[in-house]
């Protein structure tokens, strides 16, 4: 049973990675409606599900997240070292706080909000240092972070029970 | 928490930070300078692009299906409207053909072989869009093998949308005109007013809240009105002349009151792109 999850997890991860881009393009009219821009984070969602729903902690999530981050930088942005660091960082933090959490729908939702904020802020700061971003902090919070969290929470609510069922069944 | 900040972990964290910064600055430098990314990077992009095609296919198919349903619902009204236009179009087409032929002949007589307006078009599908609010980028399905080069302008059916920033063998990245990052180099454009006079300038920014292209530092005394047409001017390199950009939305004084700033409504919808055309000169 263990081996099945080891195959399902990376396939789901890369499906999420490429769906992020495709869906962003298809729904660009509603996701990137100026001045708001909401960024899809299916990869992050999949990683967090893997960290918290996999009871035995035997998936190499940190390594896979680094690889997914590398592909993201490589294929989508062309600027290396941003998602490559951000995604493993978040997974590492989740692993650290997991023993202290009473796991249910609401706590996982909270963890997801915090993680979204960490990733978006990390990417914003990194791009700001390399002068790819020129907008200021208030614009970032209002026009990017807010809509991003809203959209991704909706996706979380839709996907939580199906993915949990998947993990329960495979276990 | 004491354990978290132990010496070893701190050292590891600092090393990771340094690696990250190093990678970032190297890749930004490559992006700004070379015409194509290094071979390894190209290879990775081609592999990712191939996988992406498989994932993007059903998603794009779904989009195509929903689009055709909404198209079907609007068919009748559209047909009525289009019928009126067809007659005028035939006239205009014949006119344009004669003008093109005449233009060619005159150019031959003047021994002008290459004109600024000449270009060949490469049509490509849009594979994906960067899921990020900072990079308005697309990945398109044609690359170096189809003749795409860095800095070539990219258009949708209705007008200019951006330029190629990275070329791989089978796909390439396109930076949309709405990208406001300081590293993006800008298009040379030209406004023609109703009297036939022209004003040259470059795209200096993008007003995200109103979805308008900005053309700053205009000191010309030529009167520009709302609705005047804007095209690329063909000055300064790879962009051919005569690509449609949009129409003037408003003209205002800039912050210092010395020059005026023209705001341009882009002709292309930057959020609904499935097929694009790369123009090579």
């Amino acid at each position: 049973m263990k081996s099945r999850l080891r195959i399902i997890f990376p396939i789901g991860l890369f499906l999420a990675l490429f769906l992020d881009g495709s869906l962003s393009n298809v729904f660009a009219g509603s996701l990137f409606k100026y001045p708001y821009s909401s960024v899809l984070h299916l990869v992050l969602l999949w990683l967090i599900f893997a960290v918290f729903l996999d009871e035995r902690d035997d998936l190499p999530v940190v390594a896979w997240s680094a690889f997914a981050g590398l592909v993201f930088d490589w294929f989508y942005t062309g600027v290396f070292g941003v998602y490559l660091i951000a995604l493993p960082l978040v997974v590492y933090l989740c692993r650290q706080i997991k023993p202290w959490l009473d796991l249910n729908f609401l706590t996982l939702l909270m963890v997801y909000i915090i993680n979204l904020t960490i990733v978006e802020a990390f990417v914003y700061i990194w791009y700001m240092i390399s002068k790819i971003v020129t907008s200021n902090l208030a614009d970032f919070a209002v026009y990017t972070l807010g809509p991003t969290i809203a959209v991704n929470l909706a996706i979380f609510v839709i996907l939580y029970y199906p993915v949990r069922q998947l993990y329960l069944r495979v276990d | 928490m004491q354990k978290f900040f132990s010496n070893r972990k701190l050292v590891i964290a600092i090393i990771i930070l340094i690696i990250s910064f190093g990678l970032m600055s190297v890749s930004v430098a490559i992006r700004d300078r070379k015409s194509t990314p290094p071979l390894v990077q190209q290879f990775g992009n081609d592999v990712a692009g191939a996988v992406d095609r498989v994932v993007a296919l059903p998603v794009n198919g779904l989009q195509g299906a929903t689009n055709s349903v909404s198209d079907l619902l609007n068919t009748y009204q559209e047909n009525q409207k289009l019928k009126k236009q067809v007659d005028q179009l035939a006239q205009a087409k014949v006119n344009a053909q004669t003008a093109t032929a005449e233009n060619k002949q005159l150019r031959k007589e003047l021994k002008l072989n290459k004109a600024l307006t000449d270009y060949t078009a490469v049509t490509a599908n849009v594979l994906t869009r960067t899921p990020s609010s900072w990079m308005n980028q697309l990945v398109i399905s044609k690359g170096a093998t189809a003749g795409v080069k860095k800095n070539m302008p990219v258009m949708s059916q209705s007008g200019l949308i951006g330029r190629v920033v990275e070329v791989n063998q089978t796909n390439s990245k396109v930076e949309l005109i709405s990208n406001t990052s300081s590293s993006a180099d800008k298009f040379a454009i030209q406004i023609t007013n109703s009297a036939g006079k022209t004003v040259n300038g470059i795209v200096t920014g993008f007003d995200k809240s109103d979805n308008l292209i900005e053309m700053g530092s205009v000191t010309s005394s030529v009167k520009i009105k709302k609705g005047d047409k804007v095209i690329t001017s063909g000055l300064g390199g790879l962009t051919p002349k005569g690509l449609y950009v949009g129409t003037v939305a408003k003209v205002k004084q800039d912050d210092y009151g010395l020059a005026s700033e023209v705001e341009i409504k882009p002709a292309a919808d930057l959020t609904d792109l499935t097929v694009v055309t790369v123009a090579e000169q």
Side-chain angles (χ1 to χ4, degrees), chain A:
Chain A
M1 283 302 157
K2 203 169 81 179
S3 60
R4 229 164 66 192
L5 204 56
R6 275 175 183 267
I7 296 167
I8 293 173
F9 171 69
I11 291 176
L13 184 65
F14 281 92
L15 203 64
L17 183 67
F18 289 117
L19 274 182
D20 268 348
S22 299
L23 295 178
S24 292
N25 186 37
V26 171
F27 296 110
S30 27
L31 289 175
F32 297 98
K33 196 173 186 129
Y34 295 120
Y36 302 103
S37 52
S38 22
V39 185
L40 291 178
H41 276 292
L42 292 176
V43 174
L44 186 63
L45 186 63
W46 185 254
L47 288 171
I48 284 169
F49 279 150
V51 171
F52 285 100
L53 297 180
D54 178 29
E55 299 285 314
R56 291 192 228 124
D57 284 339
D58 56 13
L59 282 174
V61 182
V62 175
W64 276 115
S65 69
F67 188 56
L70 178 69
V71 174
F72 190 103
D73 286 342
W74 204 321
F75 186 55
Y76 284 134
T77 65
V79 178
F80 288 87
V82 182
Y83 281 83
L84 176 66
I85 306 296
L87 293 181
L89 174 77
V90 164
V91 173
Y92 175 77
L93 291 176
C94 286
R95 277 266 159 90
Q96 296 297 307
I97 58 168
K98 190 184 175 186
W100 279 282
L101 281 183
D102 176 28
L103 257 185
N104 59 36
F105 179 78
L106 274 181
T107 50
L108 202 51
L109 196 77
M110 289 300 166
V111 169
Y112 189 47
I113 294 179
I114 295 165
N115 284 332
L116 278 173
T117 315
I118 293 174
V119 169
E120 278 294 319
F122 186 92
V123 172
Y124 172 71
I125 293 167
W126 246 233
Y127 283 169
M128 190 130 99
I129 293 167
S130 62
K131 294 200 177 69
I132 289 168
V133 180
T134 45
S135 75
N136 61 35
L137 196 64
D139 282 355
F140 162 70
V142 176
Y143 295 134
T144 300
L145 192 59
T148 298
I149 289 178
V151 167
N152 285 289
L153 283 194
I155 298 172
F156 175 92
V157 171
I158 296 166
L159 288 183
Y160 176 74
Y161 287 104
V163 176
R164 203 175 72 133
Q165 281 303 316
L166 175 81
Y167 273 88
L168 285 178
R169 197 165 301 167
V170 173
D171 259 359

Side-chain angles (χ1 to χ4, degrees), chain B residues 82-95:
Chain B
L82 289 176
K83 261 183 192 160
K84 282 178 200 153
Q85 285 184 16
V86 166
D87 297 336
Q88 299 162 11
L89 259 184
Q91 188 85 34
K93 197 180 169 191
V94 172
N95 259 343

Side-chain angles (χ1 to χ4, degrees), chain B residues 108-122:
Chain B
K108 207 185 258 171
E109 272 173 43
L110 280 171
K111 300 208 169 67
L112 269 174
N113 290 326
K114 264 181 153 179
L116 284 173
T117 45
D118 283 342
Y119 67 87
T120 49
V122 177

